[in-house]
Amino acid sequence: MIDFTDEQIERYSRHIMLPEVGGVGQAKMLEAKVLLIGAGGLGSPAAFYLAAAGVGNLGIVDFDVVDLSNLQRQIIHSTERVGMLKTESAKKTIAALNPDVNVTVYNERLTSENIMRLFEGYDYILDGTDNFATRYLINDACVMTGKTNIHGSIFRFEGQATVFKPHAGPCYRCLYPEPPPPGLVPNCQEGGVLGVLAGVIGNLQVVETLKLILGQGEPLIGSLLIYDALRTEFRRLKLKRDVNCPVCGENPTIKELIDYEEFCGLSR
Amino acid sequence: MSVKVRIPTPLMKLTDNQSEVTAEGATISEILNNLESQFAGIKERICEENGAPRRFINIYVNEEDIRFLEGEKTAVKEGDEVSIIPAIAGGSGR
Ligand SMILES: [Zn+2]
C-alpha cells in the first residue's frame, strides 16, 4: 500500500472515511490510469473531478483550442485561456487543483494511426468526443485491446451514459452496428446544449470510472442511462451483447480500425 | 392498445416538440404506422423503406430492445412504454 503523506490523508479524508473507498481505494485511485478523449463538454468536468478525486494518472487527447463559446460548459478552461490549447489549459487547471495528478497531454486528433499508441498504458478510456467517427474508432480499439470504455453523449437537454466493458457486456456496435449516414442525424453544432448537461453526464462518467477503479457497486455495464433534463427524469434501458456484432460478436468482420469520414462539426 | 411512446430530442420537431406521445397498436409495426398517421414523416426517420428500424436507432418496449424480442413484430400491451433511442454523438467539444 502507498504511504500517504499527511497532506494526502487530509486531502482525501472524505474518501478515506468511506468504507467503500478507504486508504486502499484511495491508493487504487492514485495508481489508476485514465485516458480522456476530448477536453470539451464532457471531458472538462470529467478531468476536473477525476483530478479532484486523486486519480493519479490522466491522459488528455485533444487538438482544439479554447474558444469563448466553450466556456458556457467547459469548466476546466477559463476566459484568459481563450486561444490556448485545451490540453494545456486542462493541465494548468489540474496542476492548480491537485499536485498528486500526473497529466500527460496529447495534442493530436485521434485516428486509426495513433489510437493504439495513445491507449497504451491506460486502463480506462473516457469517451467525451463529439462525433461518430471518433466514437466508433474508440469502440473498436477498446474491444481490440480489452479496455473499458466509459461512454457519454449529450444533445440539447438529453444525455446518455453507459459502460462498454469488452466481452463482459455489449459494445457500441452491439447497439448501433454502423455510424449513421450524414444528414440523417443532427449536426452537433446545429443542436445546442444546456451547458450544465455536460456536467451531469461527464460526472456520471466519472462516477462509473471511480466505481470501476474501486471495484465497488454495479457499473453501468449492459445498461444505458438516459437523462432528460426537461422532465427531470432518469431512465435505464437494458443493453445486450449482439452475437452478430461486427467487432465483439462470434464472427467479427471488423478486424482493423476504420477512419470514418467525420461529418459532425468538422469539414474534411 | 394504447401505449406511451418516448420521442428522442432529434425527432421532437416532428411531434410538435412533445417528448411523449400516445399511439395505438398491438405490435411495434402498428405503433409506428399509427405514429406516422399522427405525425407525418416520422416513420421514414425511424425505419428503412422495408419497415425495419434504421441501424442507428433502437426501439425498446419498456426496458427491452426489440431486436432481442421479435423486432417490429414485437407485441405491446396496454400501458407499455415504447422508447425510440437514436445514437447521439455529441460531447459538445466545439
Ligand atoms: Zn459488440
Side-chain angles (χ1 to χ4, degrees):
Chain A
M1 209 182 114
I2 290 186
D3 285 326
F4 291 112
T5 62
D6 290 347
E7 202 181 302
Q8 285 178 320
I9 290 169
E10 191 173 350
R11 176 183 288 270
Y12 305 117
S13 56
R14 301 305 189 277
H15 271 164
I16 293 169
M17 64 179 66
L18 291 170
E20 292 80 359
V21 183
V24 173
Q26 188 62 53
K28 282 184 187 166
M29 289 198 257
L30 284 164
E31 283 163 6
K33 301 177 181 77
V34 178
L35 184 67
L36 294 117
I37 315 293
L42 297 169
S44 285
F48 220 149
Y49 260 110
L50 285 169
V55 172
N57 304 280
L58 298 179
I60 304 175
V61 185
D62 204 307
F63 61 92
D64 214 355
V65 295
V66 179
D67 185 87
L68 192 56
S69 68
N70 299 153
L71 300 179
Q72 161 256 24
R73 61 195 180 283
Q74 299 181 24
I75 56 167
I76 207 161
H77 311 303
S78 58
T79 310
E80 79 264 12
R81 307 231 185 106
V82 168
M84 184 186 287
L85 283 166
K86 287 186 179 174
T87 49
E88 291 303 328
S89 168
K91 188 174 176 166
K92 270 179 189 270
T93 304
I94 292 169
L97 172 65
N98 189 348
D100 289 345
V101 181
N102 301 309
V103 179
T104 310
V105 300
Y106 307 96
N107 300 306
E108 299 174 51
R109 179 200 295 273
L110 199 68
T111 67
S112 64
E113 297 293 311
N114 62 10
I115 191 166
M116 290 303 188
R117 168 173 59 81
L118 295 175
F119 273 23
E120 216 162 286
Y122 292 96
D123 307 312
Y124 301 100
I125 312 297
L126 194 145
D127 181 351
T129 56
D130 60 358
N131 66 83
F132 286 111
T134 313
R135 290 194 183 276
Y136 280 85
L137 189 59
I138 293 170
N139 180 70
D140 296 353
C142 281
V143 173
M144 290 172 191
T145 57
K147 293 183 198 287
T148 301
N149 174 6
I150 298 103
H151 173 99
S153 61
I154 51 176
F155 182 65
R156 296 196 180 172
F157 295 94
E158 197 166 78
Q160 303 179 352
T162 185
V163 173
F164 296 121
K165 184 171 183 181
H167 307 294
C171 79
Y172 197 48
R173 284 190 195 269
C174 292
L175 269 71
Y176 305 113
E178 282 167 26
L184 281 174
V185 288
N187 180 301
C188 45
Q189 282 178 322
E190 86 191 32
V193 67
L194 187 71
V196 64
L197 187 70
V200 174
I201 301 297
N203 281 324
L204 279 169
Q205 291 176 274
V206 174
V207 173
E208 293 308 308
T209 306
L210 297 182
K211 281 160 59 186
L212 289 162
I213 292 169
L214 295 168
Q216 290 289 344
E218 290 164 35
L220 271 177
I221 297 168
S223 192
L224 179 68
L225 187 68
I226 299 185
Y227 173 57
D228 181 335
L230 290 178
R231 297 171 71 107
T232 319
E233 189 180 79
F234 283 96
R235 281 185 292 153
R236 269 176 85 152
L237 301 172
K238 285 185 199 154
L239 305 181
K240 291 202 172 86
R241 280 191 76 187
D242 181 355
V243 290
N244 299 313
C245 173
V247 65
C248 82
E250 284 172 0
N251 296 297
T253 51
I254 295 169
K255 290 167 183 163
E256 282 178 23
L257 296 166
I258 303 166
D259 286 304
Y260 290 104
E261 192 186 343
E262 290 184 25
F263 52 84
C264 187
L266 288 170
S267 50
R268 253 222 298 205
Chain B
M1 224 75 68
S2 169
V3 301
K4 275 197 297 186
V5 183
R6 302 299 300 267
I7 305 296
T9 308
L11 296 183
M12 276 167 52
K13 30 180 189 275
L14 293 164
T15 59
D16 306 319
N17 236 15
Q18 298 173 82
S19 59
E20 183 182 307
V21 300
T22 303
E24 303 289 328
T27 62
I28 290 295
S29 280
E30 290 178 21
I31 295 291
L32 292 171
N33 288 331
N34 182 263
L35 277 181
E36 175 65 21
S37 69
Q38 298 181 61
F39 309 105
I42 198 166
K43 195 180 169 189
E44 65 161 22
R45 296 288 302 274
I46 302 170
C47 299
E48 305 285 353
E49 276 167 27
N50 68 11
R54 293 180 181 274
R55 298 182 84 183
F56 56 89
I57 292 182
N58 290 327
I59 300 175
Y60 297 78
V61 176
N62 302 320
E63 295 182 324
E64 303 288 342
D65 186 334
I66 63 165
R67 293 180 303 156
F68 301 100
L69 300 170
E70 287 164 75
E72 319 88 271
K73 297 188 192 86
T74 302
V76 294
K77 56 183 193 307
E78 188 77 29
D80 277 348
E81 183 174 88
V82 173
S83 299
I84 299 165
I85 310 289
I88 56 173
S92 230
R94 266 154 279 269

